[in-house]
Amino acid sequence: MAHKYNQGSYPNPIHPSRTRVGWIGTGVMGAAMAGRILSAGYSLTIYARTPSKASSLLSSGASLASSPASVASLSDVIFSMVGHPHDVRSVLLDPVSGAISSLSPGSVLIDCTSSHPALAREVAEAAKERNCFSVDAPVSGGDVGARDGTLAIMAGGEEEVIQWLAPLFDLLGKATWMGPPGSGQSSKIANQIAVAGSVVGTTEGVLFARKMGLDAGAFLEAIGSGAAGSKVMEIFGERILKRDFAPGGFVEYMVKDLGMALETRDGDSDSAVVLPGAAQFRQMFTGMVANGDGKMGMQGLITVHERINGVE
């Protein structure tokens, strides 16, 4: 049941002149997203485990905090965008340095990390105990979407709070309320299954075209406007052709996300979902990690197809 709103930042309208924003995590995606918030005129306090990754944000006017807790104490709305569920637990739930330990009543946590639905519900309960709010809001769209503000944002939490956050979400992309806490994360896992299948199909199609003596660029252009065309092809097609494997997100994160999709509770038929495609996709991306390419982008999957087929 939704809890009553307390006095604090909610429901005062969000505006650069009054809303202090915090940001935890400045990797490829996080830095680009935080940059859009900063460019819109918001006061931005950031925490980065590797401060050098935040240099462009700092030079643009952001302030650097010493811990996630310090970010929370200086902010009304706090975003987090880190790597793995254990990172989420550390930056949000650590009793000493975690953001929740220093939240002021009425503050809002927005976790954009691709994480576990159960952890999102745990974070929401911890925030509620401090008379605060939590939204699990993982995103899809890669580094291009983060840079251009065209991300798909899948938000779980209280619908009214997500609506109130619209001025910030609109800077990053399009937010859709998916349901109660944890629903955003469940949506992102489902999204990753679909994205993984598209990447596998696109890279495998390119390899087949090349093996048949076709011009791979002409092939992708020819099918791009047909049923095989997709956002995945739009984002990654040219990179595959140019062998540009720089990450919009590390492929090891896709392995993590697909692993969460395949988790089931032993003996509980209601929670078990049979996902043969996701299992195969995860094996393909795990091949990249096994080859030492876990920090590549997903388009690097073409290298796995090439190795399997003996292509130099």
Side-chain angles (χ1 to χ4, degrees):
M1 179 180 293
H3 57 286
K4 258 184 116 172
Y5 304 123
N6 296 276
Q7 287 188 340
S9 56
Y10 185 92
N12 296 330
I14 289 176
H15 190 272
S17 66
R18 68 172 70 90
T19 307
R20 303 169 302 164
V21 179
W23 199 282
I24 301 168
T26 54
V28 174
M29 295 286 290
M33 294 164 70
R36 293 190 61 82
I37 301 291
L38 187 61
S39 296
Y42 287 88
S43 168
L44 188 71
T45 302
I46 60 177
Y47 169 74
R49 286 184 299 185
T50 307
S52 60
K53 291 184 178 180
S55 57
S56 63
L57 294 170
L58 296 175
S59 65
S60 298
S63 300
L64 185 65
S66 59
S67 69
S70 180
V71 170
S73 69
L74 298 168
S75 307
D76 305 306
V77 178
I78 304 98
F79 288 84
S80 54
M81 183 61 152
V82 292
H84 296 273
H86 63 81
D87 298 314
V88 174
R89 184 172 294 280
S90 175
V91 301
L92 298 185
L93 294 174
D94 186 279
V96 176
S97 62
I100 285 179
S101 68
S102 296
L103 288 176
S104 300
S107 298
V108 183
L109 283 175
I110 307 171
D111 183 31
C112 297
T113 313
S114 296
S115 186
H116 200 288
L119 179 55
R121 291 188 287 270
E122 184 179 346
V123 169
E125 283 300 312
K128 181 178 178 181
E129 289 177 3
R130 295 189 66 90
N131 290 322
C132 296
F133 309 93
S134 176
V135 175
D136 51 295
V139 302
S140 181
D143 55 330
V144 174
R147 182 193 66 215
D148 296 344
T150 57
L151 293 169
I153 305 167
M154 295 152 275
E158 296 185 22
E159 185 176 10
E160 295 88 348
V161 173
I162 293 165
Q163 291 172 346
W164 173 65
L165 291 165
L168 292 171
F169 282 142
D170 287 349
L171 295 171
L172 305 176
K174 176 178 172 52
T176 303
W177 178 64
M178 304 304 298
S183 300
Q185 296 298 350
S186 295
S187 300
K188 178 59 185 291
I189 292 170
N191 172 86
Q192 294 299 75
I193 297 170
V195 169
S198 295
V199 173
V200 171
T202 298
T203 52
E204 199 163 285
V206 167
L207 178 74
F208 180 83
R210 284 176 172 166
K211 291 283 282 185
M212 295 298 105
L214 302 176
D215 178 288
F219 163 70
L220 287 180
E221 184 176 353
I223 70 171
S225 59
S230 66
K231 194 71 173 180
V232 163
M233 190 177 294
E234 180 182 325
I235 292 172
F236 295 125
E238 190 68 21
R239 299 186 194 187
I240 293 168
L241 298 178
K242 292 181 176 179
R243 303 191 71 78
D244 174 6
F245 302 142
F250 296 143
V251 75
E252 64 185 31
Y253 294 164
M254 175 59 83
V255 173
K256 168 206 63 174
D257 294 345
L258 293 174
M260 290 190 291
L262 296 169
E263 291 175 1
T264 59
R265 283 176 275 175
D266 293 339
D268 185 349
S269 60
D270 290 336
S271 67
V273 183
V274 180
L275 302 169
Q280 182 62 46
F281 304 153
R282 186 172 188 266
Q283 283 292 93
M284 295 294 294
F285 288 111
T286 299
M288 284 184 65
V289 176
N291 290 336
D293 298 329
K295 301 296 185 185
M296 280 186 181
M298 289 184 288
Q299 68 275 22
L301 187 65
I302 188 71
T303 63
V304 175
H305 294 298
E306 288 168 347
R307 291 191 186 204
I308 292 172
N309 286 277
V311 175
E312 295 293 334

